[in-house]
Each structure stands twice: as C-alpha cells, then as structure tokens.
Amino acid sequence: MQYHRPASFAEASDLAAHATGITRFLAGGTDVLVQLRSEIVTPDTLIDIKAIDGVHAITRNADGSWTLGVAVTGAEMSEHPQLGREWPGVVEAMDLIGSTQVQGRATLTGNLCNGSPAADSVPAMVAAGVTATVTGPNGDRVVAVEGIPTGPGKTSLAQGELISALHIPARGANGGDAYLRFIPRTEMDIAVVGVGVNLRVDGDTITEARVALGAVAPTVLLVEDCARALIGTTLDEAALAALGAAASAACKPIDDKRGTIEFRTEVAGVLAKRAAKIAYARAKGETA
C-alpha cells in the first residue's frame, strides 16, 4: 500500500488521478481504517488529506453562510459557539454518529462519501441545502450534497476527484432545522429511518421547506411532496397528516434485520411530523 500526505487538494487530486487499484482518502478515518483493519477493503493507495491547510476550519462567511473543512470533526462542530445555534439539526445529526471517541475523528465529508443510505448527517445536510466543492483534474465544481451518493457504498465522484470543502447556506431570519432518527438501541446504532427537516416561516406560515429521508431507499431522498405539504401552512393537523403521508409514500426501503419495509414506511411518516414540529418551533424562536 502506498501512503501519501499531500499539501494541497490539487496534489491530492493528481495522486488519485494517476493511482491504480483501490484508492481511499483519509480525513477522519472512522470508516477507512475500520474497513482496512477488518480487511473489508485494503487500499492500494491511501491519501491522507489532514495536512492540507484549512481542512479543520469552520468559517462563517460575510454573507452568513458557512464553509467547513473536510477534516472538521463532529466534536469540533458540537463545540463551536455559533454553528449549532444557527444549524442545530446539522450539528445534532453529526453528534449522533458513534461514541465520544468516534466524535473526535468522524467528519461530515467522510460520512457523506462512505455512501451509506443510513448515514445520519446526510439527510440533515440535504435538508439544509448543503453543497460541496469537488476538486478534480479539471478544477473545481460545486455539487449539491444529494448529488454525491449514487447507491450503497457508491458516489458520483470520478477518479481523481475529492471533496475539498462543504458549504452550508446562510441561516437567515425565521429559519429552523431538525434531524431525528429511529434506532433499535438507545445509542451507537445504525439508523433504521432518519429524517431531516429545514424550513422558514413568515409569522406562523411556512414559506420554505426541505425534507430529506434516510435509510428508506438506496440513497437519501429529498422529497418535494413533503415540502409541498408544509409550504403555505401553519403546521396544523392537516399539514402534518399530509407530510406524514408524503414521507411514507416516498419510501423505497428493504427488509433487513433492523426493520421491515412496513415498519420503515410507517416510522418515516411519524418522524417527519416530529422533526417538522421541532424545526417549526426553532424557526419561531420557541422551544420544541
């Protein structure tokens, strides 16, 4: 196995573009190193990107948006004094991943690029409208987070491409987000269903909404019908019923040891309603 520690994303991209066999990037390592030690995947080329400037930076930009380095850990996100106040759903979703020890290493980017449909941070990022800068042989491009995973363990990134930054939009006034999941155990388990909701209100009326579902399809789903069920409403019982029905209708789950198709479909609707209530309360400056 060849180990590289590039000083820039351009160098990392060039190394990956010319590598043969299996290539993996190392940022947090909570997926790559576990897979390596378990002999699930043995990379021919391992590219450690932790030495690149800015990979641990959390930056609030002049327009209120955020730029996160690709090696920012869950612990660093949780400890940031302002990020969690503006985007609590995104931070809480990341905080659900693994133990305290894992939180010191796990990253949003790694969770995204692992390609798991049950990744906790991804529905929250999709609901928030997060985008990624992808660096490759032809330069940089910006991709919506929902465009990165293409199936279990698969992404849309071509050879030589890697994510070099994540971008969270400006929170703006009267907005709120939330993420909820169902797991069989109380801690450190894989989501059976996960739901991220992000919305904005004008007075009591919802004017914008994004709803994303995890662990109910081969990739995380951004469900437009769920957004339509919310926009223009005051989150009354009729809106909640329509939201739950839309979430359940969007599900394309599988049966496995963690949950049946019927169970996942039902829980998706229940969690969508609960997450919407939390996001709505946060948007209004209330306690859910």
Side-chain angles (χ1 to χ4, degrees):
M1 182 175 65
Q2 296 186 27
Y3 171 83
H4 301 277
R5 193 172 171 86
S8 70
F9 284 108
E11 183 185 351
S13 171
D14 186 64
L15 287 166
H18 292 92
T20 57
I22 298 172
T23 300
R24 290 290 186 271
F25 294 99
L26 180 62
T30 57
D31 289 313
V32 171
L33 294 181
V34 170
Q35 293 168 2
L36 193 157
R37 288 168 178 167
S38 302
E39 299 184 347
I40 297 172
V41 175
T42 302
D44 299 288
T45 303
L46 186 62
I47 303 173
D48 185 344
I49 60 175
K50 294 192 295 296
I52 299 174
D53 285 345
V55 294
H56 279 285
I58 300 176
T59 305
R60 192 177 192 274
N61 303 308
D63 64 355
S65 65
W66 294 83
T67 301
L68 272 62
V70 295
V72 169
T73 67
E76 289 168 331
M77 290 175 63
S78 296
E79 292 167 3
H80 194 277
Q82 190 172 3
L83 180 61
R85 289 200 299 269
E86 294 196 10
W87 288 101
V90 174
V91 174
E92 289 166 355
M94 188 63 194
D95 192 47
L96 290 172
I97 297 171
S99 63
T100 300
Q101 293 90 335
V102 169
Q103 281 291 307
R105 303 293 295 181
T107 68
L108 281 177
T109 306
N111 200 228
L112 173 64
C113 292
N114 194 43
S116 171
D120 281 305
S121 71
V122 180
M125 285 196 286
V126 171
V130 174
T131 58
T133 294
V134 176
T135 298
N138 297 317
D140 292 345
R141 59 190 178 97
V142 178
V143 183
V145 159
E146 57 266 31
I148 299 295
T150 58
K154 299 178 180 179
T155 74
S156 61
L157 301 177
Q159 181 167 346
E161 289 190 325
L162 71 158
I163 293 176
S164 51
L166 292 174
H167 311 282
I168 308 176
R171 172 67 281 176
N174 306 317
D177 74 322
Y179 173 77
L180 293 176
R181 71 175 182 185
F182 176 84
I183 58 174
R185 300 185 296 175
T186 57
E187 293 182 48
M188 289 189 289
D189 211 333
I190 299 171
V192 176
V193 178
V195 180
V197 177
N198 176 38
L199 52 81
R200 192 178 311 281
V201 299
D202 182 0
D204 292 334
T205 302
I206 298 171
T207 58
E208 301 174 20
R210 287 171 65 93
V211 179
L213 308 179
V216 295
T219 62
V220 169
L221 303 175
L222 177 63
V223 186
E224 297 293 340
D225 284 346
C226 287
R228 282 191 283 269
L230 293 173
I231 294 172
T233 76
T234 57
L235 204 66
D236 54 17
E237 290 303 317
L240 287 168
L243 169 64
S248 292
C251 293
K252 302 172 184 177
I254 60 171
D255 285 316
D256 64 18
K257 63 183 180 181
R258 294 182 293 115
T260 64
I261 291 172
E262 293 78 9
F263 181 75
R264 283 189 161 103
T265 301
E266 175 69 20
V267 170
V270 173
L271 287 187
K273 290 187 283 187
R274 292 179 182 176
K277 288 180 180 179
I278 296 169
Y280 185 68
R282 287 172 171 169
K284 295 178 66 180
E286 301 170 354
T287 301

